[in-house]
Amino acid sequence: MSAGRSGASLTWLEIVRLGLVQSAIGAIVMLATSLLNRVMVVEYALPAALPAGLVAWHYAVQLSRPLWGHGSDSGRRRTPWIIVGMGMLAAGAVTAVWALGVIAGGSTFGYALAVLAFAVIGAGVGAAGTSLLALLARQVAPDRRAGAAAVTWIMMVAGIAVSAGIAGALLDPFSFARLLRVVAGVAGVALLVAILAVTGIERGSLTAVDARVAPPQARFWDALAAMWADREARRFTGFIFLSMLAYAMQDLILEPFTGLRFGLSPGQSTQVSGIQHGGVLLGMILTGVAGSGASGRTAAGMRRWIVGGCAGSAIALCGLAIAARVGPGWPILANVFALGFANGVFAVAAIGAMMALAGAGPTGKSHGNSHGEPHGEGLRMGIWGAAQAIAFGLGGVTGAVAVDAGRALTGSVPNTFMVVFGVEAVLFLAAAAVSLRSPPRAVRFDREVVL
């Protein structure tokens, strides 16, 4: 019997359908963290600290991910939690635009409304995103996990790109009324797409008779303590935090680096970001295809891809540190592409490993029963999602502050970026070391596991 899936795993078409949910999540998050960020600073001349603080706040709210994940574990089905989370995301995005209008009108109430809106956005990401990953961990066959991770994350990036293009085209000429209509329209379409994509896809739900005989779900703190007692789960949490901290630190400083050290124009620096994301995309595709073979069926197999991606990222960052010293003449575009490629490899491998570990108990065996009710996938995904959110929130700020502090203390742009990129490389190597310290489980996460 399939490992707790009532005999059937998701087909590739169904995985793509769930990828559409990720696209919808990315589309709405883009509205809040990118579009509104620009509008607040440029069109409304608000302090840049305001949108930065609101984005950091939405990451902080995602510390609630374990609670959302545990709730979806208790609820027997993930679909309602995904739909509710998407509804919260859409409502939060529209409320954020409303808050901007109130702020522009001179009322301090608008700031409180903005804080509330971004809290709802963070909670929506936590509810929908965590439950979606838990559903994937539960119902994707082991030999498809790497491919599923690649598909869903590529589709999330596609959702961000498509919604950004559509919203940008519809916003001109700019007005508040047009902004509200565009955000409401994009959020509404994304919500509808997510509902249609996820409806009817979940399997293994309990019947009324099954629900009466199923063991009661553990309380949150008891379930959290049991999960944290698993040494491999703890170490994987540390790996997620370190690797995502290193990943996020480069996010806000790479384009300024190419401008300050290589004299690239704003347009050219933006193209550098496109080259990096092209590398990420290629790395994700390669890992998704290769990791869906025999090497991706075990936790140890996914770990090799993780270590390779982290080591490659560290090498590329060392190249950027050298580039900071050498300056013009260094193959900066090739270096940035290599960094993106290695980032894509480790990201997909890490997500695939998340699915494997979330769908496994402390012994490494798939931990469901023949009825297929969830037993902790949501909580585990919630813990790792919270670690990722903390790392993303800290990483962006830490990288930017480190560059500002280094330039103020040393007055040297090359030395500052050398140190910052070097620290990021060390973080990636530390993440790889943490991953290697987790002993490979002998058990294979195969569909043939008999319960």
Side-chain angles (χ1 to χ4, degrees):
M1 180 178 294
S2 175
R5 290 184 194 81
S6 300
S9 61
L10 295 177
T11 65
W12 282 114
L13 179 58
E14 290 168 329
I15 290 171
V16 170
R17 284 178 58 187
L18 291 180
L20 287 172
V21 180
Q22 279 283 47
S23 296
I25 293 174
I28 299 179
V29 170
M30 182 282 303
L31 295 174
T33 62
S34 181
L35 176 62
L36 285 180
N37 181 7
R38 180 241 151 78
V39 169
M40 285 182 180
V41 174
V42 178
E43 275 70 24
Y44 286 89
L46 294 171
L50 175 61
L54 290 172
V55 171
W57 169 236
H58 114 281
Y59 278 125
V61 172
Q62 289 184 51
L63 291 176
S64 64
R65 276 178 177 262
L67 285 169
W68 292 111
H70 181 67
S72 71
D73 288 340
S74 306
R76 311 295 182 186
R77 284 177 58 81
R78 317 277 184 191
T79 300
W81 294 84
I82 295 171
I83 293 175
V84 168
M86 291 302 304
M88 294 170 67
L89 256 176
V94 174
T95 303
V97 178
W98 176 29
L100 176 59
V102 176
I103 293 172
S107 174
T108 56
F109 171 69
Y111 295 99
L113 191 60
V115 170
L116 174 62
F118 276 79
V120 174
I121 291 169
V125 172
T130 303
S131 301
L132 176 64
L133 287 174
L135 176 56
L136 286 165
R138 187 66 179 170
Q139 294 194 185
V140 172
D143 58 345
R144 293 179 178 174
R145 281 176 178 145
V151 166
T152 52
W153 253 252
I154 288 170
M155 292 186 70
M156 181 178 71
V157 173
I160 294 172
V162 170
S163 62
I166 292 174
L170 296 177
L171 270 177
D172 292 330
F174 178 83
S175 68
F176 177 77
R178 184 180 291 269
L179 173 67
L180 183 59
R181 287 196 300 270
V182 168
V183 170
V186 172
V189 170
L191 175 59
L192 179 60
V193 167
I195 292 173
L196 293 176
V198 78
T199 298
I201 206 170
E202 189 170 11
R203 299 175 184 152
S205 58
L206 293 179
T207 64
V209 173
D210 293 333
R212 288 197 299 270
V213 301
Q217 182 74 19
R219 292 178 301 176
F220 173 74
W221 292 111
D222 293 336
L224 181 62
M227 179 266 185
W228 204 246
D230 183 355
R231 183 175 61 175
E232 186 163 356
R234 290 199 309 272
R235 285 178 174 169
F236 193 74
T237 304
F239 159 76
I240 289 295
F241 177 78
L242 288 171
S243 61
M244 292 301 173
L245 181 64
Y247 183 84
M249 278 183 68
Q250 62 187 282
D251 201 31
L252 298 180
I253 66 173
L254 191 56
E255 288 188 35
F257 167 68
T258 59
L260 290 170
R261 195 68 186 96
F262 289 83
L264 300 187
S265 67
Q268 290 172 323
S269 291
T270 301
Q271 290 174 353
V272 168
S273 179
I275 290 172
Q276 182 189 14
H277 285 97
V280 170
L281 181 62
L282 183 60
M284 286 183 168
I285 293 173
L286 174 65
T287 308
V289 173
S292 293
S295 65
R297 293 194 179 194
T298 64
M302 293 307 301
R303 187 174 293 115
R304 287 191 288 269
W305 286 94
I306 288 172
V307 172
C310 286
S313 297
I315 293 171
L317 284 164
C318 287
L320 289 179
I322 297 172
R325 171 57 61 188
V326 173
W330 184 264
I332 186 63
L333 298 183
N335 199 153
V336 169
F337 180 84
L339 177 62
F341 179 82
N343 286 169
V345 170
F346 106 80
V348 165
I351 297 160
M354 274 190 200
M355 293 182 188
L357 292 175
T363 63
K365 296 179 181 179
S366 183
H367 60 189
N369 61 22
S370 60
H371 304 306
E373 74 273 17
H375 279 190
E377 295 96 337
L379 177 62
R380 287 174 175 246
M381 284 296 188
I383 291 290
W384 297 327
Q388 176 179 308
I390 296 171
F392 264 60
L394 284 177
V397 174
T398 301
V401 170
V403 168
D404 288 341
R407 293 175 65 189
L409 291 173
T410 67
S412 171
V413 171
N415 289 342
T416 296
F417 280 104
M418 278 183 66
V419 171
V420 174
F421 288 136
V423 169
E424 291 179 43
V426 170
L427 286 173
F428 268 119
L429 291 176
V434 169
S435 178
L436 283 173
R437 285 185 61 195
S438 300
R441 289 170 172 171
V443 112
R444 286 172 62 90
F445 300 105
D446 272 342
R447 282 173 290 181
E448 289 77 18
V449 171
V450 178
L451 303 178

